[in-house]
Amino acid sequence: FPRPAAIAERPVDVRSPDGRVLAKVFGKNYRWNAQLFHAQDTHPAGPVLPLAAHRVTALAVAADNRTVATAIGNLSQDWGEVRVWDGVTGRQLARYTVAETAGQPALGEVLRIAFNRDGTTLTIEASPAGGR
């Protein structure tokens, strides 16, 4: 059976807009990580980013070749989380979750994430929390 459109697929490797770096997701048994690599020689460009023991649903790299956004989710409980990282240092810069905080709406299953052209804005496409 084909998957419904509202279920995110495991993301494929994602290149930065200029193609110089590549973000990869790797792991197994729902223990996933992400990492930046130099696209030319496939050497690591930063440390491993621990994503947790959930399904990876989306991945994006900003135009600065170092900012990475990752999304994880749990479809059976219908929640999602997006983290923004400095992919060169491994430092987490921001986190958006299912919980409503500071007046922000809760996230459901995260389907897609993308940085704008200059990397200053992250767009998150998600299903409504608690509903499909």
Side-chain angles (χ1 to χ4, degrees):
F1 292 96
R3 299 182 87 173
I7 298 175
E9 298 285 341
R10 180 175 173 262
V12 295
D13 299 345
V14 176
R15 287 186 182 268
S16 62
D18 68 4
R20 291 178 32 203
V21 297
L22 179 67
K24 292 183 172 218
V25 173
F26 54 92
K28 61 182 179 177
N29 298 329
Y30 294 94
R31 302 227 184 264
W32 300 102
N33 299 296
Q35 190 169 14
L36 280 182
F37 293 87
H38 298 283
Q40 185 176 20
D41 59 16
T42 65
H43 286 101
V48 173
L49 307 174
L51 302 184
H54 298 284
R55 194 166 62 86
V56 179
T57 60
L59 183 65
V61 181
D64 65 2
N65 291 323
R66 71 180 297 142
T67 306
V68 179
T70 60
I72 61 170
N74 186 329
L75 185 61
S76 65
Q77 296 176 2
D78 197 27
W79 63 265
E81 175 182 278
V82 174
R83 292 184 187 193
V84 180
W85 307 83
D86 181 320
V88 174
T89 67
R91 189 177 78 136
Q92 182 178 303
L93 304 173
R95 182 175 173 222
Y96 306 96
T97 68
V98 70
E100 292 188 32
T101 56
Q104 298 296 319
L107 293 178
E109 173 82 353
V110 178
L111 304 172
R112 282 178 278 291
I113 53 179
F115 286 100
N116 67 342
R117 186 174 297 235
D118 63 8
T120 58
T121 302
L122 178 67
T123 301
I124 301 169
E125 182 182 338
S127 63
R132 297 188 210 285

